[in-house]
Amino acid sequence: MKIAVIGAGKLGLTITEALLGGGNEITLIDKDAEVLQKAETKMDLLTVTSNAKNPEVLRELRIGSYDYVIAVTDQDEKNMAICRFAKEMGCSRTIARIRDPEYVNELNFIKKTFYIDMTVNPDLSMANEIHRYLVQKYNLSDGLFASGKIAIIQFTAEKMPSICNKKLKEVGPTLGMALIVAISRNGKIIIPNGETEILPTDDIYMLGMEGPVRAFSELVREKRTKISAKKVMIAGGGKAGFYLADSLSKEGFFVKIIDSNRERCEYLSEHLDNVLVLCGDATDVNLLEEEDIDGMDAFVTLTGFDEENLLLAMLAHERNVEDVVAKVSRKSYGDLVKRLGISMALSPTDITVSHILRFMQGSRRIIFSKLIQGQAEFVELVADKKMDILNTPLSQISLPENVLIAAIHRGDEIIIPRGGTEIKAGDHVIVFCLLSQLPALEKLFRSKKRGL
């Protein structure tokens, strides 16, 4: 497909990389020539240094010949205008990033007025994932998900003592037609290999035939109340903090939100009901003690700085807060997250890229996708006859790190893949991957001809 990405910030560059992995023709547009030059050295794409809000720029690009325009500049109004201009000039579909809370309740009107096919809001998407975690504890609703004849169950390893403190290669043969596809450990999703040791405190994601897995789920799944956290402290009163505080308070949580900007605190006080807004420095230990951090059920760090979020998360963990959630955008901090005892670490960019890709692919290729703890994704897709990956033993394919082919549904047959397994045209393939590896996943399953 022919796609224009407008805005070369973190989201724009990440979605560009992922779409290039799918074999698309990308044009990246931004006013910053230096940023575009860096992008050109890493990726095979056309760049245009210009202000895309100017209709003449879009005309010169012949934007009407594009399949998609994805407007992700740092200004909502600019993104709306670009989408409207592009649609008027004949572009097939448009996607706009719209983040301002003032627009959230008017999205249907905005989409209709500006001819926008999809809106994305990284802050809201992240807040929704955190909300889901705190309310449902990510038990896949009841601990079980089924698609066709395949089922996925999530449980704590200690519920199955026979697998604890053993390496996966020792456990695998005892599971029959089932496969441990992921482990959640200290807030980080791990795609295990044969040498990975299973700890009693690990959350295990197991995939297999629906019948046996359903029966197994009755033995190991953990019954939990609807709401397991009641008192939540949020550090950072930006858009994500606002969305999360608003949704949790409506669920009956007692919420405290801390921000150092007095003007922002006044806004939060005016627009949030049943939320205690504190104006102060969230890194001030005395303030946190005064506001009873030790009595919190959950502590969420959503400031604009990864380092500050990690510092605060470590502090909350040392205070024995049960659930510690941190916004961490830099992939390089992944190993650090594992060591800090964080319950959940999220990247709003990765979550948003996943949403955009699934919207663009639609039912043509992706049958189903489900985010796991906001860090990884189960995807069920149809193997197209033009895909490069077909008819080759998996052992001979260079699978990207943290991408796992978990199962193949071929007609009435369910295949738990081994090294000699080949993917055939028409197969329904269930893949599990970290969101950070979406570009690699797109590249792995792209067709020989351009297009998703």
Side-chain angles (χ1 to χ4, degrees):
M1 290 190 292
K2 193 175 181 182
I3 303 166
V5 178
I6 301 171
K10 187 179 298 181
L11 178 57
L13 292 174
T14 305
I15 187 62
T16 296
E17 184 183 2
L19 290 169
L20 282 171
N24 298 288
E25 182 182 343
I26 309 294
T27 301
L28 182 61
I29 307 167
D30 196 278
K31 294 187 293 185
D32 192 328
E34 184 177 349
V35 170
L36 292 179
Q37 187 176 9
K38 290 180 180 178
E40 280 185 318
T41 62
K42 298 179 181 179
M43 296 179 277
D44 179 20
L45 77 169
L46 172 67
T47 62
V48 176
T49 306
S50 194
N51 183 357
K53 190 177 178 181
N54 183 347
E56 189 57 35
V57 172
L58 300 178
R59 290 193 190 96
E60 291 177 2
L61 281 171
R62 298 180 61 218
I63 207 69
S65 66
Y66 282 71
D67 298 293
Y68 277 91
V69 162
I70 305 174
V72 288
T73 75
D74 58 359
Q75 298 177 35
D76 291 352
E77 294 77 9
K78 183 175 181 178
N79 294 333
M80 295 179 205
I82 290 169
C83 287
R84 174 69 187 249
F85 295 154
K87 266 295 184 70
E88 290 281 10
M89 295 176 189
C91 177
S92 298
R93 308 194 85 178
T94 60
I95 298 173
R97 176 167 65 181
I98 299 176
R99 299 182 295 179
D100 195 323
E102 303 290 342
Y103 293 136
V104 168
N105 295 326
E106 299 294 337
L107 286 182
N108 288 334
F109 174 74
I110 289 170
K111 289 168 70 174
K112 182 178 179 180
T113 303
F114 291 92
Y115 304 155
I116 300 170
D117 295 289
M118 178 195 190
T119 61
V120 292
N121 185 334
D123 300 300
L124 179 58
S125 294
M126 182 174 59
N128 287 341
E129 292 300 317
I130 299 171
H131 173 100
R132 189 175 296 114
Y133 172 78
L134 294 175
V135 173
Q136 299 178 0
K137 287 298 187 127
Y138 269 98
N139 265 14
L140 296 181
S141 297
D142 63 353
L144 183 79
F145 166 75
S147 174
K149 296 184 178 181
I150 294 289
I152 302 161
I153 184 174
Q154 179 263 333
F155 61 95
T156 305
E158 63 184 3
K159 296 284 185 179
M160 190 178 178
S162 62
I163 70 173
C164 293
N165 302 311
K166 292 183 180 179
K167 293 184 177 180
L168 192 60
K169 64 182 180 182
E170 300 173 298
V171 171
T174 69
L175 300 178
M177 289 294 290
L179 181 69
I180 293 177
V181 293
I183 294 172
S184 177
R185 178 180 298 165
N186 296 330
K188 187 174 178 63
I189 293 290
I190 301 168
I191 296 182
N193 56 43
E195 297 297 321
T196 303
E197 183 176 346
I198 299 171
L199 306 181
T201 54
D202 287 344
D203 275 343
I204 303 296
Y205 291 86
M206 182 185 291
L207 177 148
M209 295 284 289
E210 182 178 358
V213 170
R214 280 192 179 277
F216 179 70
S217 72
E218 296 300 321
L219 301 175
V220 299
R221 78 180 180 191
E222 188 173 343
K223 309 284 187 181
R224 285 178 176 167
T225 57
K226 177 69 174 176
I227 297 178
S228 52
K230 296 179 181 178
K231 296 180 181 179
V232 181
M233 184 178 287
I234 302 171
K239 294 181 178 68
F242 172 88
Y243 291 129
L244 181 60
D246 186 44
S247 65
L248 289 178
S249 66
K250 290 175 180 176
E251 284 277 359
F253 286 76
F254 174 68
V255 181
K256 294 183 179 182
I257 187 168
I258 306 173
D259 197 274
S260 59
N261 185 294
R262 180 164 296 279
E263 184 178 350
R264 183 61 182 172
C265 288
E266 291 175 356
Y267 175 91
L268 295 171
S269 297
E270 293 171 4
H271 292 82
L272 290 173
D273 296 324
N274 302 315
V275 173
L276 179 60
V277 179
L278 304 168
C279 189
D281 182 0
T283 63
D284 183 345
V285 176
N286 291 329
L287 173 62
L288 296 178
E289 290 177 343
E290 288 173 5
E291 295 302 329
D292 192 26
I293 184 174
D294 296 329
M296 294 294 117
D297 298 295
F299 188 89
V300 184
T301 66
L302 297 173
T303 78
F305 303 97
D306 284 356
E307 296 82 1
E308 188 171 310
N309 289 334
L310 290 171
L311 174 65
L312 288 168
M314 180 175 65
L315 175 63
H317 176 66
E318 290 177 347
R319 295 278 182 158
N320 296 315
V321 178
E322 181 180 353
D323 287 304
V324 181
V325 181
K327 171 188 172 185
V328 183
S329 298
R330 292 189 186 180
K331 296 179 177 62
S332 58
Y333 287 153
D335 291 336
L336 184 58
V337 168
K338 279 198 296 185
R339 298 197 297 269
L340 292 181
I342 296 172
S343 308
M344 184 184 188
L346 298 136
S347 165
T349 300
D350 288 342
I351 294 171
T352 306
V353 169
S354 173
H355 291 167
I356 291 174
L357 288 175
R358 302 307 159 235
F359 173 79
M360 294 177 69
Q361 291 159 340
S363 60
R364 290 179 295 114
R365 200 182 95 181
I366 299 295
I367 300 171
F368 162 84
S369 70
K370 184 174 184 67
L371 289 181
I372 301 297
Q373 290 192 220
Q375 300 174 49
E377 185 175 26
F378 279 107
V379 180
E380 183 177 356
L381 52 83
V382 179
D384 183 88
K385 63 182 179 181
K386 297 176 182 176
M387 288 180 176
D388 293 330
I389 198 174
L390 299 188
N391 305 315
T392 303
L394 295 181
S395 60
Q396 297 179 23
I397 296 172
S398 298
L399 289 177
E401 186 179 2
N402 294 319
V403 173
L404 174 70
I405 296 176
I408 297 171
H409 190 179
R410 181 179 298 157
D412 293 330
E413 182 183 10
I414 300 298
I415 301 169
I416 301 298
R418 308 299 179 196
T421 304
E422 298 180 3
I423 297 174
K424 304 293 184 182
D427 283 351
H428 287 202
V429 184
I430 295 181
V431 183
F432 186 73
C433 79
L434 298 186
L435 295 187
S436 58
Q437 289 297 95
L438 286 177
L441 178 64
E442 294 301 303
K443 186 175 182 179
L444 180 66
F445 281 91
R446 71 180 174 189
S447 300
K448 294 174 185 177
K449 292 185 178 180
R450 288 191 178 273
L452 288 170

